[in-house]
Amino acid sequence: MTGLPAEFSSPLQILLGLTALTLLPALFMTVTPFLRIITVLHFLRQALGTQTAPSNQVLIGMALLLTLVVMQPVLNEIHADAYTGYQQGKLSPTEALEHASEPLAKFLRRFAREKDLALMMEIAKLPPVKSPRQLGLSVLMPAYVLSELKTSFQIGAVLFLPFLVIDLVVASVTLTVGMVQLPPVMLSAPLKILLFVMVDGWNLVIGSLVRSFQ
């Protein structure tokens, strides 16, 4: 690109770009709200007992759109601080990466628990730091993943409870009236779907997930 400092040769820049594109899907699924959203949606579908409705494609598409909504401020900051300067030739590739990593690191620090950060520092054998601001992405990213997995499993457990109560009640009723040959799930599934629709469950779940990142 004309006007850019020639820190890397063109073939090396192409190689680095292709490598980044290869890793981009994995990074998107792990270091963004996508991880929490898709995990909670899968828990919700399992709690409802609807098997494949909504389908995986629908859940992934919904999680993708919600992730873009939540990450829009971070993406705008990366675009303004890093991409624009790189495109105009004011920043080298290395400087652009440094500018782009700071908004992402700020986002990760908000949701990474101190316990998970300490664990990653112990695994990486890093000395103690005075502030999480001194930690790099190599520590922040795995700590964020651990924190998001715990949070999403906590939300999933809460979602399961009301539907579990319905399953237990239906199973007790069917056993009491002697309907042993009728699987309780045949009766509880419509009741759970009806309850979820009556309380406007999708609005509650999606709204709570998005607000949890604000």
Side-chain angles (χ1 to χ4, degrees):
M1 193 172 187
T2 307
L4 285 176
E7 292 191 4
F8 302 107
S9 62
S10 295
L12 184 56
Q13 289 185 22
I14 294 173
L15 178 61
L16 292 175
L18 292 175
T19 303
L21 289 175
T22 304
L23 298 175
L24 190 60
L27 292 175
F28 181 84
M29 289 187 293
T30 52
V31 297
T32 65
F34 184 90
L35 175 60
R36 182 190 301 186
I37 294 171
I38 194 65
T39 305
V40 170
L41 291 180
H42 274 288
F43 271 119
L44 175 61
R45 185 177 67 180
Q46 190 171 359
L48 285 171
T50 54
Q51 303 300 326
T52 58
S55 64
N56 288 333
Q57 290 84 353
V58 173
L59 294 184
I60 292 173
M62 185 184 301
L64 174 61
L65 294 176
L66 293 175
T67 300
L68 293 177
V69 171
V70 175
M71 292 294 291
Q72 186 174 0
V74 179
L75 296 175
N76 290 340
E77 191 173 351
I78 292 175
H79 183 274
D81 293 347
Y83 180 75
T84 302
Y86 176 79
Q87 192 178 36
Q88 295 175 352
K90 298 178 181 178
L91 297 176
S92 67
T94 303
E95 292 171 338
L97 286 176
E98 291 177 356
H99 282 70
S101 63
E102 182 52 36
L104 179 60
K106 187 191 305 181
F107 174 82
L108 298 179
R109 283 195 295 266
R110 285 179 56 197
F111 300 102
R113 299 183 307 156
E114 292 185 4
K115 184 177 181 180
D116 296 324
L117 290 172
L119 175 62
M120 290 302 109
M121 291 177 62
E122 180 183 351
I123 293 175
K125 294 182 172 54
L126 296 177
V129 295
K130 296 181 179 179
S131 171
R133 293 179 177 273
Q134 299 175 333
L135 296 174
L137 291 177
S138 59
V139 172
L140 289 173
M141 289 193 293
Y144 172 83
V145 172
L146 287 179
S147 301
E148 287 298 283
L149 285 175
K150 178 177 181 179
T151 302
S152 59
F153 272 65
Q154 288 174 335
I155 298 174
V158 173
L159 286 175
F160 253 103
L161 291 178
F163 300 113
L164 179 61
V165 171
I166 295 177
D167 286 333
L168 291 175
V169 171
V170 171
S172 300
V173 171
T174 54
L175 287 175
T176 302
V177 299
M179 301 171 63
V180 181
Q181 294 182 348
L182 179 65
V185 70
M186 295 291 293
L187 297 176
S188 64
L191 294 177
K192 290 189 289 186
I193 295 173
L194 180 61
L195 173 65
F196 189 71
V197 172
M198 289 179 59
V199 300
D200 199 5
W202 285 112
N203 185 281
L204 292 174
V205 172
I206 298 303
S208 300
L209 277 175
V210 173
R211 283 191 291 270
S212 67
F213 289 99
Q214 295 176 351

